[in-house]
Amino acid sequence: HMPALKPPPPPTGAPPAGVPASSESKQTRTFRPRSGVVVSPQKIGVYGTGGIGKSSLIPLLKDVGKRPLVLDLDDGSKELDVDRLTAADGVDSWESMLDALKSDELWKPYDVVCIDTCTKAEEYASQWVIEHVPHEKGHFVSRIEDYGFGKGYTHIYEVFLKLLAELDRHIIAGRDVLIVMHVCTSEAPNPSGDDFLRYEPRLQNPGKKGQSSVRDRVKEWCDHLLFIGYDVDAKDGKGRGVGMRTIYPQERPTHVAKSRLLSKPIPYLKGDATIWKQLFNKQ
């Protein structure tokens, strides 16, 4: 009877079998900090009421040497002198929109990726979910609400992240991204007093806790979220429209907005590219 052979001892310094290697035994990585201002492509969101001139900002990018290509999902650029892809060109669904964004050859001549509108893109995402994601019991549904409380909105949120990932890929490739959105009014929570209504991008925002909120995710994703509205003059407690279109880069009680570079409202005259000149000259 031969005695059982013992396994050979582990190499010197190696952990026993079944014990993960410590961080000390792994190859040391080298990190090299960089300093100074980093100039990089910009992630820009624009929203406002219908007809106020959101899409009209796109051809003005040419005034600062930027060549945009528009994925015109809402057919809102037909009166503008821009390069575009529409439903007639095959961009008429969630999958076809992502396929267009993945086409490196298509984007080689362009500096800016434009989605007009991101609100329509979310509708495409919703339709894709209904057609491809079964209910937890195995059957398919005809409405987002049919998944059960909040579950359909979670599906849309997770699918929509694929669009942001594709846009991030273009950022890495050196292109700016401009997403146009429709507007809605939403109740803003106010810890110090009564809640109030304000303008926000019209994207999914199913709960006050921010869960599955495409709207909140897009606000976080943008370097600049610009609201286009009319100047309002308040007198005797009543608001009177002054009539001047204005681009707001910072948040006010009336709307959400933000910018990493701009701080003051910018008058928006027809054909005036001041917003782009200020934004790209301050990089």
Side-chain angles (χ1 to χ4, degrees), residues 1-5:
H1 177 70
M2 294 291 292
L5 296 177

Side-chain angles (χ1 to χ4, degrees), residues 126-127 129-130 141-148 151-153 156:
S126 176
Q127 188 61 36
V129 166
I130 290 173
V141 302
S142 57
R143 302 180 310 146
I144 286 297
E145 290 78 8
D146 293 342
Y147 287 103
K151 295 178 181 178
Y153 299 107
I156 294 173

Side-chain angles (χ1 to χ4, degrees), residues 122-136:
E122 186 192 71
E123 293 177 13
Y124 282 161
S126 176
Q127 188 61 36
W128 188 93
V129 166
I130 290 173
E131 293 174 355
H132 294 86
V133 179
H135 190 277
E136 59 186 12

